[in-house]
Amino acid sequence: MSITAAGRVVRLEDVADRPLLADLAQAADPHARYDALRSRWGAVAPVDLEPGVPAWLALGYDEVSAVLRDEVHFTREFGRWRYEAERLIAWRSPVRAVLAARDALLDRDGAEHRRLRGPVQDALATLEDKRLTRTVAVACTSALDRAAARGSADLIADYAVDVPVRVLADLLGMNLADARRMHELSVVLGAGGDDAADAADETENLLATFVAARRAEPGDDLASGLIADPRHQHDLEVMGAVGALFRTAHDATIAASATAIHRIVTDPGFGSRLHGGRLSLEDALDEIARRDPPMPHLLPRYAVTDTVLGNQPIAAGDAVVPAVAAANADGAVQAVDPWEQVDSRFHLTWGLGAHSCPAHRTAPLMTRLIVGHVVARVGSIETAAAPDRVPLVRSAWFRYPRELPVRFR
């Protein structure tokens, strides 16, 4: 396993100053960090998934696209990762808890992946826009009315998190307490701390209990549809489908909504473009998703054979993380005039290829509805803290503000 740097070939593990992936995601200016990596390494750079566990970070648009599309040279199958196959990573390692997907949907390729992805896609296809719009509207109105009555709120915890969790509970047929616990466990897993393995275990147990309960008493919900789908061979696959659907919609919607709400509430210039009619809400959200994607880094792909990516040699078994945030900002695909980028839809925020986001229609619609309700009331909302001091949720995989204290006038 080697890379070319300054005319020398060196082993990836011998690079002494590999940046931590979570630090890149949490940087005040992540694009400056990506640019620095590009200047030194090119379109593919070395990083650490956790201290001492190296991987490649694909930074270029073409390189990220290739990794996401090419199932011949790159796979999502976790067992192909060299650090897993050679037992180089601790069994209860935080990053292993995240990457060792316990739902086969995220850990298969080819025909097996298509079999497992089909039920999720079909379940989402049955979700009518009218039902989703009504469910989201009720949750949004209730949350904002409660906040306005109190006179203050944290627009992240009390709204950008609360609403998607309530909506997902309703759509899946899950009780609100379990949905809230799923949210908490997702945050713990994303943080990649010492409690990540325990969170993965608890998530699996929660899903097992939930699927058993829905099988005993099915209803008019997405989970019951997944349970009834004959393509699932056993409940472990159903659990994986429910977990993947929840996490995909949860992470994407919360991060996208929270980031957009923070931008609209705290950036008068951006807000004036939106409120003045020069930028539609859909275009505003697309601009935000391109510049600050909810998932800046997608889960790794693993090299099937020795190959080359962006002029960097990649050894069989290496992990390659697609950095969609960096790819979206790649100068090779950026227009000189930023206004030309509006409505271009060229970005990779929702992924590409066989493993693209299965909720690519549902999550953006939920986000647009959630943000739209805030836009309608933004004249009565003012921030209660300096915008540049708002901390971020700790994660290598998603990026959004941890809190946004506001007052209602």
Side-chain angles (χ1 to χ4, degrees):
M1 178 162 40
S2 61
I3 57 178
T4 301
R8 297 183 299 111
V9 175
V10 297
R11 295 180 68 249
L12 176 58
E13 286 85 351
D14 290 341
V15 179
D17 55 349
R18 299 186 302 263
L20 192 62
L21 188 62
D23 289 345
L24 295 177
Q26 302 300 296
D29 185 356
H31 293 289
R33 298 288 301 275
Y34 295 139
D35 288 344
L37 287 174
R38 280 196 191 93
S39 296
R40 180 177 179 186
W41 301 103
V44 181
V47 295
D48 266 0
L49 299 176
E50 65 181 34
V53 180
W56 299 98
L57 187 66
L59 300 163
Y61 186 91
D62 290 343
E63 287 72 24
V64 170
S65 297
V67 171
L68 296 178
R69 281 197 172 113
D70 185 353
E71 292 190 35
V72 174
H73 294 98
F74 300 99
T75 179
R76 272 290 301 129
E77 295 181 12
F78 176 72
R80 303 296 289 267
W81 185 25
R82 183 168 63 87
Y83 271 64
E84 171 69 9
E86 298 179 9
R87 300 294 187 265
L88 300 176
I89 189 169
W91 182 255
R92 303 288 287 180
S93 160
V95 75
R96 190 179 187 279
V98 175
L99 302 186
R102 304 185 186 202
D103 44 75
L105 170 61
L106 298 180
D107 194 36
R108 296 291 186 275
D109 286 319
E112 187 71 351
H113 175 254
R114 289 191 292 274
R115 176 180 71 84
L116 294 168
R117 184 181 171 96
V120 174
Q121 289 181 312
D122 290 351
L124 289 171
T126 66
L127 182 57
E128 296 181 353
D129 288 356
K130 286 184 178 179
R131 177 186 174 184
L132 180 60
T133 299
R134 182 173 61 251
T135 302
V136 174
V138 169
C140 289
T141 302
S142 176
L144 289 173
D145 284 349
R146 289 196 304 269
R150 290 195 305 268
S152 64
D154 173 1
L155 275 187
I156 305 304
D158 299 333
Y159 186 75
V161 168
D162 181 72
V163 170
V165 168
R166 287 178 180 274
V167 171
L168 285 171
D170 180 86
L171 297 180
L172 286 167
M174 182 179 289
N175 68 60
L176 187 55
D178 282 351
R180 284 175 169 162
R181 186 55 183 158
M182 283 286 290
H183 160 70
E184 293 167 354
L185 294 169
S186 296
V187 172
V188 172
L189 272 170
D194 292 338
D195 49 357
D198 290 337
D201 291 341
E202 186 178 342
T203 299
E204 189 172 30
N205 291 334
L206 191 157
L207 288 171
T209 301
F210 170 67
V211 168
R214 296 317 287 163
R215 183 176 290 283
E217 295 184 20
D220 181 20
D221 53 69
L222 297 181
S224 296
L226 291 170
I227 290 169
D229 195 296
R231 286 168 288 187
H232 287 135
Q233 297 176 354
H234 45 71
D235 275 2
L236 285 176
E237 290 184 350
V238 178
M239 288 161 53
V242 173
L245 195 157
F246 183 96
R247 282 191 295 271
T248 299
H250 167 276
D251 293 353
T253 305
I254 289 177
S257 299
T259 300
I261 290 169
H262 179 269
R263 177 80 181 275
I264 290 166
V265 171
T266 63
D267 184 344
F270 188 84
S272 65
R273 287 170 60 197
L274 178 61
H275 303 311
R278 288 178 291 164
L279 192 62
S280 69
L281 177 57
E282 185 174 4
D283 285 342
L285 293 176
D286 189 69
E287 180 179 325
I288 294 169
R290 177 174 56 245
R291 174 69 182 178
D292 298 300
M295 280 84 74
H297 309 131
L298 301 182
L299 292 177
R301 273 58 174 169
Y302 309 102
V304 176
T305 60
D306 292 348
T307 188
V308 175
L309 181 69
N311 296 323
Q312 296 282 22
I314 308 293
D318 282 359
V320 182
V321 176
V324 296
N328 288 351
D330 188 343
V333 293
Q334 287 279 359
V336 175
D337 181 355
W339 283 99
E340 293 180 9
Q341 295 169 190
V342 174
D343 200 34
S344 64
R345 306 292 192 270
F346 75 86
H347 57 72
L348 301 174
T349 295
W350 303 108
L352 200 65
H355 285 274
S356 62
C357 177
H360 66 276
R361 179 188 68 87
T362 306
L365 175 57
M366 285 177 61
T367 300
R368 187 164 68 250
L369 294 167
I370 291 168
V371 176
H373 280 266
V374 172
V375 170
R377 302 198 191 194
V378 75
S380 63
I381 299 173
E382 61 182 13
T383 56
D388 57 349
R389 295 182 181 177
V390 174
L392 298 173
V393 173
R394 178 70 179 177
S395 178
W397 311 105
F398 45 77
R399 176 186 169 93
Y400 63 94
R402 192 170 66 203
E403 60 186 36
L404 181 57
V406 298
R407 291 185 291 268
F408 286 77
R409 295 193 291 269

